[in-house]
């Protein structure tokens, strides 16, 4: 297995990672496929010191990723040279702003292989994308007695909007269970699917367990039952190539800030015929064709779903993030991240009293753990003293904590700029925690 000279397509690398076992025998080789030292120079924050002393060891990429100069500079360029409101000015500068904003939409459409840029709605992020579907699709297509299926490992943002919808309509929320290892129970899913199922909402990659769900299979099964599918791609898009047409899903939601782009911008991909059939989400400027006090009519896609002045600069910044990401050797980046995750897991398993949470066969980038007798918040605070940033708590997934009967976890979440040395720093700091508590 010679990874460095591989001619495999990106999707066959994804397939290798999903099926894991063979690749795991070559973990060390995975790590040698990609040298993070070069890309680290693209991220100014990675050169900083915590409290002026310790090098920043940033292992909270599941919460948000750091931003490369390519994104920072693009935002600066936009505000210095291109800023105006979009879709309304006849003057040259407004047309320029419109061009770069609509250009960003085209870039995002290509990034997830949507096919049509009118299927790309800019939102504030994953949370707003899901709320948009719950509100608009829900209002049109979900009625009393209908069912919405979510998995038991969803982020609150893929639970609560459906609960609000169920409260408003009398629909019923049903939950697909998962195993102790963190794998979705596909038999339970199959049993839950019925002609009453209107929509299945499931995460592509769990932010607590690291589980990669079989979204293509889920979509196919849901479609056979006549249900629509929303995939929450928040944790996926910064790590793997995304192809919404290959998945076949009806909606795909993600956030810019988790894929090296700005905060406050994200995307909802929706299949054109569904978006056409759905009512507006919010009312205001830009989303209308005509307005009178008697009746207003709606603008075409995608503008029907983008009321008010959009987040122009950050959409442009997000497009720069996708360009940056695609400029990196993706197959080797994926191998590297996989190797780094396995390296981290193996090192963490040797820490006395440490238990990994989430050991699905298909797993990526997120490593949750508990340390016997030590609260995760204490771990996080002590690690911070060493410049090591991890997240501790329920990670906006309280039902996952309830199911596993734990109050919280500590979580290291990786990106391609992380290094073996940083994992070693994490483990050294954890050993200090243990020495302090035992
Ligand atoms: N879905 C998943 C799977 C997530 O991990 C998150 C954020 C969201 C949705 C919401 O994304 P937002 O950009 O709209 O806030 N997850 C996390 C996390 O794990 N730590 O901080 C935020």
């Amino acid at each position: 297995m010679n990874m460095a000279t591989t001619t495999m397509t990106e999707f066959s690398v994804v397939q290798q990672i999903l099926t894991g076992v063979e690749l795991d025998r070559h973990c060390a080789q995975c790590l040698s496929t990609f040298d993070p030292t070069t890309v680290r120079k693209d991220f100014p924050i990675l050169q900083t010191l915590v409290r002026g002393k310790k090098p920043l060891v940033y292992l909270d990429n599941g919460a948000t990723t750091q931003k490369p100069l390519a994104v920072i500079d693009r935002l600066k360029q936009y505000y210095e040279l291109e800023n105006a409101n979009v879709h309304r000015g006849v003057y040259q500068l407004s047309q320029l702003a419109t061009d770069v904003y609509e250009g960003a939409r085209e870039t995002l459409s290509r990034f997830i292989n949507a096919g049509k840029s009118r299927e790309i709605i800019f939102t504030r992020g994953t949370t707003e994308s899901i709320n948009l579907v719950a509100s608009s699709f829900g209002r049109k297509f979900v009625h009393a007695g209908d069912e919405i299926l979510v998995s038991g490992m969803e982020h609150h943002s893929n639970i609560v909007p459906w609960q609000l919808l169920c409260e408003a309509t009398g629909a019923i929320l049903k939950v697909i269970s998962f195993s102790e290892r963190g794998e979705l129970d596909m038999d339970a899913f199959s049993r839950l699917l019925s002609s009453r199922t209107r929509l299945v909402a499931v995460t592509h990659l769990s932010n607590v367990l690291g589980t990669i769900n079989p979204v293509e299979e889920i979509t196919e099964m849901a479609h056979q039952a006549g249900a629509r599918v929303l995939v929450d791609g928040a944790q996926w898009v910064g790590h793997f190539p995304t192809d919404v047409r290959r998945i076949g899903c009806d909606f795909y939601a993600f956030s810019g800030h988790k894929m090296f782009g700005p905060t406050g911008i994200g995307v909802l991909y929706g299949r054109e015929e569904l978006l056409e059939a759905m009512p507006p989400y919010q009312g205001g400027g830009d989303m209308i064709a005509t307005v009178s006090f008697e009746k207003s009519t709606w603008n075409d896609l995608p503008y029907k779903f983008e009321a008010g002045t959009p987040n122009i600069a950050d959409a442009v910044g997000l497009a720069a993030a996708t360009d940056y990401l695609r400029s990196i050797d993706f197959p080797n980046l994926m191998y590297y991240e996989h190797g780094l995750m396995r390296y981290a897991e193996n090192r963490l398993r040797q820490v006395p009293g440490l238990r990994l949470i989430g050991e699905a066969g298909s797993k990526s980038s997120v490593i949750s753990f508990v340390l016997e007798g030590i609260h995760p918040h204490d771990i996080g605070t002590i690690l911070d003293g060493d410049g090591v940033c991890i997240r501790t708590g329920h990670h906006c997934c309280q039902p996952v904590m309830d199911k596993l009967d734990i109050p919280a976890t500590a979580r290291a979440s990786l990106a391609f700029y992380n290094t073996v040395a940083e994992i070693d720093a994490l483990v050294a700091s954890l050993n200090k925690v243990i020495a302090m508590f035992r």
Side-chain angles (χ1 to χ4, degrees), residues 62-63 125-127 155 157 203 207 232 234-235 255 257-258 391 411:
T126 311
T127 302
H155 187 277
S157 64
T203 188
N207 65 317
D232 171 352
Q235 296 292 341
S255 302
H257 71 99
K258 292 190 201 288
R391 187 163 172 199
R411 180 191 72 179

Side-chain angles (χ1 to χ4, degrees), residues 172-186:
I172 299 153
L173 188 68
K174 298 222 156 164
V175 182
I176 312 158
S177 58
F178 64 88
S179 70
E180 284 289 311
R181 277 162 63 83
E183 283 164 345
L184 212 55
D185 184 340
M186 293 298 282

Side-chain angles (χ1 to χ4, degrees), residues 37-313:
T37 43
T38 313
V39 288
R40 284 180 74 81
K41 296 194 186 109
D42 297 333
F43 292 81
I45 209 166
L46 298 181
Q47 327 307 323
T48 60
L49 299 175
V50 176
R51 296 184 198 88
K53 284 195 202 117
K54 306 263 180 176
L56 174 70
V57 176
Y58 188 76
L59 298 172
D60 196 15
N61 296 287
T64 198
T65 52
Q66 298 303 344
K67 317 306 170 200
L69 272 173
V71 170
I72 300 166
D73 289 346
R74 187 65 191 89
L75 291 174
K76 189 160 176 281
Q77 179 189 330
Y78 174 78
Y79 282 122
E80 282 183 357
L81 302 170
E82 300 161 343
N83 177 54
N85 211 328
V86 291
H87 305 143
R88 49 201 91 191
V90 291
Y91 52 89
Q92 195 269 339
L93 192 59
S94 173
Q95 281 166 11
L96 177 61
T98 304
D99 286 349
V100 292
Y101 180 65
E102 291 306 326
R105 199 189 303 280
E106 302 267 340
T107 303
L108 267 300
S109 172
R110 279 194 302 275
F111 181 69
I112 60 166
N113 197 25
K116 294 177 192 143
S117 62
R118 62 205 314 263
E119 297 181 318
I120 302 294
I121 315 292
F122 281 120
T123 64
R124 283 193 296 128
T126 311
T127 302
E128 187 175 46
S129 297
I130 297 171
N131 275 280
L132 191 162
V133 177
S135 164
S136 169
F137 174 88
R139 217 171 338 138
K140 176 88 182 235
F141 293 108
V142 179
H143 307 288
D146 288 348
E147 292 175 358
I148 309 281
L149 302 190
V150 295
S151 92
M153 63 176 87
E154 297 308 312
H155 187 277
H156 294 166
S157 64
N158 204 18
I159 300 173
V160 183
W162 308 117
Q163 286 177 324
L164 292 171
L165 175 64
C166 288
E167 261 174 41
T169 59
I172 299 153
L173 188 68
K174 298 222 156 164
V175 182
I176 312 158
S177 58
F178 64 88
S179 70
E180 284 289 311
R181 277 162 63 83
E183 283 164 345
L184 212 55
D185 184 340
M186 293 298 282
D187 291 335
F189 171 51
S190 173
R191 284 194 300 275
L192 283 170
L193 272 174
S194 77
S195 59
R196 289 184 301 279
T197 314
R198 284 297 147 267
L199 185 121
V200 178
V202 65
T203 188
H204 204 161
L205 200 168
S206 156
N207 65 317
V208 176
L209 306 165
T211 308
I212 298 171
N213 283 317
V215 288
E216 288 174 36
E217 194 185 339
I218 289 170
T219 301
E220 207 183 314
M221 288 165 69
H223 282 174
Q224 270 170 20
R228 305 296 184 184
V229 176
L230 178 142
V231 177
D232 171 352
Q235 296 292 341
W236 173 271
V237 286
H239 302 274
F240 296 101
T242 308
D243 186 333
V244 290
R245 282 188 284 175
R246 182 185 272 250
I247 299 168
C249 57
D250 301 286
F251 302 103
Y252 196 93
F254 59 100
S255 302
H257 71 99
K258 292 190 201 288
M259 48 170 290
F260 317 101
T263 50
I265 189 81
V267 167
L268 172 69
Y269 156 80
R271 289 232 323 274
E272 185 179 26
E273 63 270 29
L274 277 172
L275 293 177
E276 289 283 13
M278 285 157 51
Y281 171 50
Q282 294 178 328
D286 233 19
M287 52 72 70
I288 48 86
T290 62
V291 176
S292 73
F293 284 114
E294 289 70 39
K295 181 173 172 55
S296 298
T297 58
W298 317 136
N299 203 344
D300 292 334
L301 289 178
Y303 313 112
K304 180 171 83 175
F305 291 105
E306 292 183 5
T309 299
N311 186 351
I312 309 160

